[in-house]
Amino acid sequence: GAVVSQHPSWVICKSGTSVKIECRSLDFQATTMFWYRQFPKQSLMLMATSNEGSKATYEQGVEKDKFLINHASLTLSTLTVTSAHPEDSSFYICSALETGGSSYNEQFFGPGTRLTVL
Amino acid sequence: AQKVTQAQTEISVVEKEDVTLDCVYETRDTTYYLFWYKQPPSGELVFLIRRNSFDEQNEISGRYSWNFQKSTSSFNFTITASQVVDSAVYFCALSDLNRDDKIIFGKGTRLHILP
């Protein structure tokens, strides 16, 4: 299957700083990517849909000014956690949608980024 | 509204036992997809299966099998002759065509296989 990478795999930062997480589709182009957040021992919660060349669509309750998403190319979406606080500590997972070729648009998940805010 | 319920929060079985993970879903759409994912301690999601709503045939893949029953809106997952390496969190998930390819995850079942 297709491969999606995330960088970094883990990051520790101080409260008040901003952190950028990259999501790349390595062998296919993805006009749509998704960002999920997973707190310890909880499920994945969709945060936003990242659309190449346009604004991201955020799920209800997700602060768009806090979680900035940029999808500037067909293979890269970035999530920037601005002014991070300890409550933002979580596991962030992206997925990329592979479209075309079949009736179903397959979604491939990245390995995740563990963010710890001190 | 779409919803996925995994009533079993945590299950422990002894190695070589069979174990079934339950999944019940809700959707108003007639065309939808159901999934199972495995999440080992490393955190990376491992895709196990996708089923579309028009295919109720049960699936077997090695020690894994899935039972899809539209009449009860269930998509249960059975591991036969469990192994310690099967220890992980398993998520059942749903996607329907009206949600722009978004996937909704259940809360997951944490499976412990005891040696």
Side-chain angles (χ1 to χ4, degrees), chain A residues 7 23 27-28 34 43 54 57 70 75 88 93 109-110:
Chain A
H7 179 80
C23 177
D27 46 4
F28 67 101
F34 299 95
S43 187
S54 64
T57 307
N70 185 283
T75 59
D88 299 322
I93 303 174
F109 286 85

Side-chain angles (χ1 to χ4, degrees), chain A residues 25-38:
Chain A
S25 55
L26 297 186
D27 46 4
F28 67 101
Q29 294 183 328
T31 54
T32 302
M33 294 184 177
F34 299 95
W35 286 96
Y36 295 83
R37 178 169 55 184
Q38 184 181 28

Side-chain angles (χ1 to χ4, degrees), chain A residues 38 43 59 104 106-107, chain B residues 33 35 39 50 101-102 106:
Chain A
Q38 184 181 28
S43 187
E59 295 298 302
Y104 177 75
E106 191 83 45
Q107 201 171 135
Chain B
Y33 297 88
F35 309 81
Q39 189 178 42
R50 181 184 75 241
D101 297 301
K102 296 177 183 178

Side-chain angles (χ1 to χ4, degrees), chain A residues 64-107:
Chain A
K64 60 181 180 182
D65 295 329
K66 172 93 178 155
F67 299 100
L68 300 179
I69 292 173
N70 185 283
H71 194 153
S73 80
L74 287 172
T75 59
L76 173 64
S77 174
T78 60
L79 169 69
T80 301
V81 183
T82 62
S83 187
H85 290 286
E87 56 265 31
D88 299 322
S89 298
S90 188
F91 192 54
Y92 292 87
I93 303 174
C94 74
S95 68
L97 204 62
E98 185 178 38
T99 57
S102 72
S103 60
Y104 177 75
N105 298 327
E106 191 83 45
Q107 201 171 135

Side-chain angles (χ1 to χ4, degrees), chain B residues 69-82:
Chain B
Q69 292 198 349
K70 286 177 77 171
S71 60
T72 55
S73 297
S74 66
F75 186 42
N76 296 337
F77 172 36
T78 298
I79 301 175
T80 304
S82 60

